[in-house]
Amino acid sequence: MTRPSITVHHVGAEAQPLVVIDGFAADPDALRHVAIGRTFGPAAHHYPGIRAALPDTYLPAQRAVLADVLGPVFGRTGRIETIDASFSIVTTPPADLGIPQRLPHCDAFGADRIALVHYLAPEGGDGTAFFRHRSTGFETVDESRAPIFFGQLEAELRLGGVPPAAYVAGDTPLFERTMTVEARYNRALIYPSYLLHSGAIAPGATLSADPARGRLTVTAFLSVG
């Protein structure tokens, strides 16, 4: 079996670690087969699409690769706890996006929280973009920054109006894109959950709910001591 290829990047001025792992799962075709047989339902927490349960074996099978990254790159050598993990597909048409879904976001404010995105669409599809909030300069939002960031963002939206009904994939008046990682089959991204980011969904993308045709990913949120 070919070992995964691991590349470490540092995003933006804050130089936060972003790990790209190609060949992440030993058998991505088997994972796709499982996903195609699953029943998907509406996602929570502003995710613009649908989700379904992962096989119980998914994260245990990836622990060795995760340990190779979380220790040397993130300095996290403690127990890996799964907060949430699922198959996910972006399906919401741009016209139906809520305001939070039109903006870069972070998934959690704690330094112990790690995000994982695993791309499982064979044709690649849309990747993930990372951002800097122009007025504050923030590229990450932790607990101390959250009141400042959200207060400033609320004022900007109140004075300047809400962003257009579209996915954010590039520069906007409020946010500067610092990096984009393209999607590739069986590629995974691992990064701190408090990095501002968004799915880089292209205008006109086909947002199919069919796991055999749509932007199938695994999304997971981990807590690491």
Side-chain angles (χ1 to χ4, degrees):
M1 182 182 71
T2 303
R3 289 181 58 83
S5 172
I6 299 174
T7 306
V8 180
H9 302 271
H10 290 89
V11 181
E14 294 187 24
Q16 290 289 322
L18 165 65
V19 180
V20 179
I21 306 176
D22 289 303
F24 184 62
D27 193 348
D29 293 346
L31 282 172
R32 279 182 52 79
H33 181 74
V34 171
I36 289 168
R38 287 286 200 254
T39 298
F40 282 73
H45 308 300
H46 299 297
Y47 183 82
I50 54 177
R51 285 183 166 147
L54 286 171
D56 293 340
T57 55
Y58 177 81
L59 284 169
Q62 306 307 131
R63 286 190 185 277
V65 179
L66 290 172
D68 286 345
V69 168
L70 294 175
V73 178
F74 293 90
R76 300 285 173 180
T77 57
R79 180 179 176 84
I80 302 171
E81 301 285 352
T82 303
I83 299 168
D84 184 43
S86 60
F87 289 119
S88 303
I89 307 174
V90 173
T91 59
T92 303
D96 294 339
L97 292 173
I99 294 173
Q101 295 169 325
R102 308 175 195 178
L103 298 164
H105 66 280
C106 58
D107 298 312
F109 303 136
D112 64 326
R113 301 297 178 89
I114 302 294
L116 163 68
V117 179
H118 182 192
Y119 303 110
L120 287 172
E123 67 278 8
D126 296 305
T128 301
F130 298 87
F131 294 88
R132 175 185 302 114
H133 183 225
R134 293 183 187 273
S135 61
T136 62
F138 294 167
E139 298 170 359
T140 59
V141 181
D142 61 12
E143 292 176 351
S144 66
R145 287 182 170 186
I148 302 168
F149 171 72
F150 288 109
Q152 180 68 13
L153 184 59
E154 181 182 0
E156 290 170 334
L157 296 177
R158 186 171 61 251
L159 294 174
V162 301
Y167 288 96
V168 55
D171 291 346
T172 75
L174 301 184
F175 292 90
E176 176 186 2
R177 183 178 61 184
T178 57
M179 185 174 180
T180 300
V181 181
E182 68 178 13
R184 292 183 184 173
Y185 187 48
N186 202 25
R187 165 177 280 181
L189 308 186
I190 301 174
Y191 53 90
S193 290
Y194 56 23
L195 261 175
L196 286 167
H197 67 281
S198 175
I201 311 301
T206 301
L207 302 177
S208 173
D210 180 353
R213 299 178 56 243
R215 185 184 182 265
L216 178 64
T217 63
V218 171
T219 55
F221 305 104
L222 312 173
S223 176
V224 188

